[in-house]
Amino acid sequence: MLRSEPFFFVPNPFCCPNGDGFGNLGLDGWLKSQEEVAKQAIKHALKALKKRHLVEEGAHAPAYIALSRPIISQGSEWKEKAEKLEIELQQCYKAQSRLSEQLVVEVAESRTLKAFLQEKETAMAELEKELTQTTFDVSFMVWLARVRALELVLSEYKELKAQLEQLTIRATNAEAENKRLVNLWMLHKMQDAERLNEANALYEDMTERLKASGLEKLAREQVDGIVRRSEEGAEFFAESTVPSVCKDRINAHDGGCASIIGGQDRSIKIWNSSTGSLCHGLFGYLGSVLDLAITHDNRFILAGSSSNNLFVWDVNSGRVCHTLTGHTDKVCAVDVSKVSSRHVVSSAYGRTIKVRDLQKGYCTNTIIFHSNCNALCFSTDGLTICSGKLLSEVSANSLAITSLSLLRNGNVVLTSGRGNSHNLFDIRSLEVFGTFGATRNKVASNWSRSCISPDDNNIAAGSANGSIYIWSISKADIVSTLKEHTAPILCCTWSAIGKPLASADKNGVVCTWI
């Protein structure tokens, strides 16, 4: 902490009591007196400084030097400083004048800007007023448009309601008319059934007479309907034998076989049933083979595909000769007319059935189906297609139908379904007269195919447990159970000459049975 300094009064050299600047002593006398006063002051200061701490001596050194200077030199310095300060004061006056002028200009500009701002605020207020009015007008127009639209909708609703009432009346009348026509049609069908019963009685009577005359075989060939033809065109008919032994086990395809000669590896293979060797391989397929059909002259093979197309191969050349399009989903069933090799029918998961002419190469008829169709077949006369629903609807199975097979006489159809039953129904009377099944017989998929022996005596069907069950139609009982497959069986097919029986499973294995 610094000590308090002693106070010394030093007279102003430029101020004298009498007002003449130096008093009555004159300049030299006055200077001498001032020097004495200064010396006395310096002595007193030195005495005081000796009593201060050594550290404070360094701080007061500049004051000591200043007091040691002559008074004359200090007066000249003060004069110079006064002149400089006067010059600075003049410059400050000039700067103040400039600033005043600038302030006046800025005040004028500020007033101008304030007036401009007020003008803009007035314009903005007018625009806000116009915007409010415009918003109100737009809201009113929108409300008015909605009211008019509502009036229009109500008017259209009244018109549509009136039209609906008219259509309802027409539909009621049409339903009544349809019911009347159905009853009439059922009456005609009953009459037809009676006539068919009379024809069957006549047929049985004729068969008995032919048996008596030793011509039973000829009668069956003439009455039962279509006669199968071999590649050379010779007519024949053979009794079928119930198979019991697996003759050949062939690893035919990579993946499952939805049909005997076609598989999920997008290929079709033709095997020699006698030797079990591969005869032909047909390629160029764009999807898994789901179903196959062969023309009765053995010239063409038709295959339904998961690529939504139907492919036709020439057996001799091994090339695809037709690619039939038009389905919008996978083609799961195909059949060829038993009368002519040119007419083909196919069904797809797109709920459509298409009839095609192979010679013309295009679709001749498209049937819109009410559900997906897994199986279909031509009748023996080539004029009727057996499917889910066309001319008549028969509740032959409780669940989805996976397979349809027509007996040689053309009057009976075998159906297999997901309900694990195989039914025979007469398409003339629309009645089921035979049901076949087994405790462990379970249909493996929606494309599982059963078959009938060429002599119409036996039914063969594969099961999900890898077994093949064979029923006798006349005995309505299982006559044989074949076990060789280790995977669910998807397809069974009987040779047209009575043997062998072929089966295919989900692992692509094909077995022939004799």
Side-chain angles (χ1 to χ4, degrees), residues 276-296:
S277 60
L278 180 65
C279 299
H280 297 289
L282 307 179
F283 301 93
Y285 217 58
L286 298 178
S288 300
V289 179
L290 301 181
D291 196 18
L292 282 171
I294 304 175
T295 57
H296 69 77

Side-chain angles (χ1 to χ4, degrees), residues 139-294:
S139 300
F140 178 75
M141 292 177 65
V142 169
W143 175 81
L144 184 60
R146 288 180 178 175
V147 171
R148 291 179 178 176
L150 181 60
E151 292 176 352
L152 180 60
V153 169
L154 290 175
S155 176
E156 292 180 352
Y157 170 74
K158 291 179 180 179
E159 293 180 0
L160 291 175
K161 186 177 181 181
Q163 293 178 6
L164 178 61
E165 291 176 353
Q166 294 178 359
L167 292 175
T168 303
I169 295 173
R170 292 174 58 185
T172 303
N173 296 335
E175 185 177 359
E177 180 65 18
N178 182 63
K179 186 176 181 180
R180 187 185 66 83
L181 292 175
V182 169
N183 292 333
L184 182 61
W185 176 73
M186 290 298 296
L187 178 61
H188 287 298
K189 293 298 292 183
M190 291 176 63
Q191 294 174 355
D192 291 340
E194 291 177 358
R195 287 194 291 269
L196 287 173
N197 291 333
E198 293 177 358
N200 288 334
L202 181 62
Y203 163 75
E204 291 176 0
D205 183 59
M206 183 180 64
T207 302
E208 292 295 332
R209 292 180 182 179
L210 290 175
K211 285 182 180 180
S213 62
L215 299 177
E216 179 183 1
K217 183 176 179 180
L218 178 61
R220 293 182 63 179
E221 290 180 353
Q222 291 179 348
V223 179
D224 280 349
I226 191 168
V227 178
R228 299 183 180 270
R229 302 175 183 273
S230 67
E231 225 171 3
E232 293 79 13
E235 298 181 358
F236 63 89
F237 176 81
E239 295 287 343
S240 301
T241 59
V242 177
S244 59
V245 179
C246 178
K247 180 177 179 295
D248 293 300
R249 179 185 174 91
I250 305 168
N251 293 319
H253 296 276
D254 296 330
C257 297
S259 189
I260 290 297
I261 58 176
Q264 293 180 3
D265 57 0
R266 302 183 180 183
S267 66
I268 293 177
K269 297 178 181 180
I270 302 175
W271 304 85
N272 188 319
S273 60
S274 300
T275 62
S277 60
L278 180 65
C279 299
H280 297 289
L282 307 179
F283 301 93
Y285 217 58
L286 298 178
S288 300
V289 179
L290 301 181
D291 196 18
L292 282 171
I294 304 175

Side-chain angles (χ1 to χ4, degrees), residues 98-167:
R98 290 195 299 272
L99 289 174
S100 299
E101 294 176 356
Q102 186 176 358
L103 180 60
V104 171
V105 173
E106 289 181 354
V107 168
E109 292 179 353
S110 175
R111 290 176 179 175
T112 304
L113 290 175
K114 186 175 181 181
F116 180 75
L117 181 61
Q118 290 178 351
E119 182 181 354
K120 293 297 182 182
E121 288 179 350
T122 304
M124 185 178 293
E126 293 178 356
L127 289 175
E128 288 180 353
K129 185 177 180 181
E130 292 179 0
L131 178 61
T132 303
Q133 183 64 31
T134 304
T135 303
F136 174 76
D137 294 342
V138 170
S139 300
F140 178 75
M141 292 177 65
V142 169
W143 175 81
L144 184 60
R146 288 180 178 175
V147 171
R148 291 179 178 176
L150 181 60
E151 292 176 352
L152 180 60
V153 169
L154 290 175
S155 176
E156 292 180 352
Y157 170 74
K158 291 179 180 179
E159 293 180 0
L160 291 175
K161 186 177 181 181
Q163 293 178 6
L164 178 61
E165 291 176 353
Q166 294 178 359
L167 292 175

Side-chain angles (χ1 to χ4, degrees), residues 252-270 281-294 301-313 320 330-334 347 374 445-449 490-491 504-506 508 510:
H253 296 276
D254 296 330
C257 297
S259 189
I260 290 297
I261 58 176
Q264 293 180 3
D265 57 0
R266 302 183 180 183
S267 66
I268 293 177
K269 297 178 181 180
I270 302 175
L282 307 179
F283 301 93
Y285 217 58
L286 298 178
S288 300
V289 179
L290 301 181
D291 196 18
L292 282 171
I294 304 175
I301 295 176
L302 297 93
S305 165
S306 61
S307 65
N308 307 346
N309 297 325
L310 190 67
F311 294 85
V312 182
W313 275 270
V320 176
K330 52 189 175 185
V331 181
C332 53
V334 59
S347 65
N374 294 333
S445 75
N446 288 339
W447 298 278
S448 295
R449 309 298 191 206
L490 299 180
C491 181
D505 63 25
K506 279 190 175 181
V510 174

